[in-house]
Amino acid sequence: MPATNLRHLSLTDRLLDELQHGLKTCHLRPPAAPRAYPADGIDDDELSAPERYHVAGLMRVNNAGEVAAQGLYRGQALTARDDRVGNAMREAAAEENEHLHWCQRRLEELGAHRSLLDGVWYWGSFAIGALAGAAGDRLSLGFVEETEQQVGRHLEKHLERLPHEDHRSRAILEAMRADELRHAENAAQAGAAELPQPVKSAMTLVSKIMTLTAYRL
Ligand SMILES: [Fe+2]
Ligand SMILES: [Fe+2]
């Protein structure tokens, strides 16, 4: 459904649309996106069993992060005051779906499962996103900028923690990191407000909890 039509729907229809998007995000793999899978044509050196376990944990965390990104953007879109901001949030969620597709493909290659708590990550993030959207469009954009910067720094750390032999995961995370930094830059240019430090610290804390939990669950 084109994003521009959403304003003509009743609140019930919009909530049903959100419910459907949430269920799809948590239970299905998104369809292949326009850009190629970054790991295409890249061979891995042999990974040992402990390395495989470790990479699966890292990729499960990144998959959970992308599930949360869907929830955040869709929640922000739902309560955005300006239609243009709402549509931009919905389009951003569609672009992040590409990352979700890549992470899930890599998890499947590793024979690993996605986070069992994806529903918690999605709907918890959706609620936080809806609150951020209700706080006003400039603060909501500030929230996007801060989130994307934090994700970019997080991906940098994961790139350091990947086994040297894992060229496939590295290609995926490098492509994602470049995108997240561009998303942060776009939000800044769209008029993002600086968030208060306690909000930034709370965001860091929530992402730490998710990172630690999704590595195993
Ligand atoms: Fe992403
Ligand atoms: Fe992003």
Side-chain angles (χ1 to χ4, degrees), residues 66 69 73 92 95-96 99 144 147-148 151 176 179-184:
E66 293 298 333
Y73 276 123
E95 199 178 313
E96 297 284 357
H99 295 173
V144 170
T147 304
E148 297 285 359
V151 175
M176 282 169 54
D179 288 347
E180 312 304 14
L181 295 179
R182 181 169 48 80
H183 296 158

Side-chain angles (χ1 to χ4, degrees), residues 27-191:
H27 298 286
L28 301 176
R29 188 168 92 179
R35 282 185 302 169
Y37 182 46
D40 268 347
I42 296 177
D43 288 329
D44 264 346
D45 298 338
E46 195 68 23
L47 293 176
S48 66
E51 282 174 335
R52 241 180 141 72
Y53 175 85
H54 175 59
V55 174
L58 297 181
M59 292 312 291
R60 186 157 42 247
V61 167
N62 293 316
N63 194 73
E66 293 298 333
V67 165
Q70 288 298 312
L72 284 174
Y73 276 123
R74 296 290 295 211
Q76 284 175 279
L78 187 72
T79 54
R81 300 191 184 172
D82 184 326
D83 277 0
R84 280 171 307 177
V85 174
N87 287 335
M89 296 292 180
R90 239 172 252 111
E91 280 160 20
E95 199 178 313
E96 297 284 357
N97 243 340
E98 197 165 37
H99 295 173
L100 195 56
H101 177 92
W102 295 344
C103 289
Q104 281 180 32
R105 253 181 94 167
R106 187 63 184 135
L107 277 175
E108 285 164 20
E109 287 169 8
L110 294 160
H113 65 84
R114 56 191 293 173
S115 173
L116 301 174
L117 298 174
D118 273 350
V120 176
W121 313 135
Y122 185 88
W123 293 111
S125 302
F126 187 89
I128 293 170
L131 280 176
D137 290 337
R138 286 196 64 231
L139 278 173
S140 191
L141 286 165
F143 187 80
V144 170
E145 185 186 9
E146 179 62 22
T147 304
E148 297 285 359
Q149 279 177 351
Q150 288 195 10
V151 175
R153 289 196 291 272
H154 154 86
L155 288 171
E156 233 160 77
K157 279 190 212 146
H158 269 201
L159 281 162
E160 285 167 17
R161 292 177 63 197
L162 274 181
H164 183 69
E165 297 79 9
D166 188 356
H167 310 298
R168 291 179 73 77
S169 301
R170 186 169 303 281
I172 296 166
L173 297 192
E174 276 173 354
M176 282 169 54
R177 185 175 157 273
D179 288 347
E180 312 304 14
L181 295 179
R182 181 169 48 80
H183 296 158
E185 188 57 40
N186 290 348
Q189 282 177 4

Side-chain angles (χ1 to χ4, degrees), residues 8 12 16 49-50 53 70 92 143 198 215:
H8 303 299
T12 312
L16 283 174
Y53 175 85
Q70 288 298 312
F143 187 80
Y215 184 86

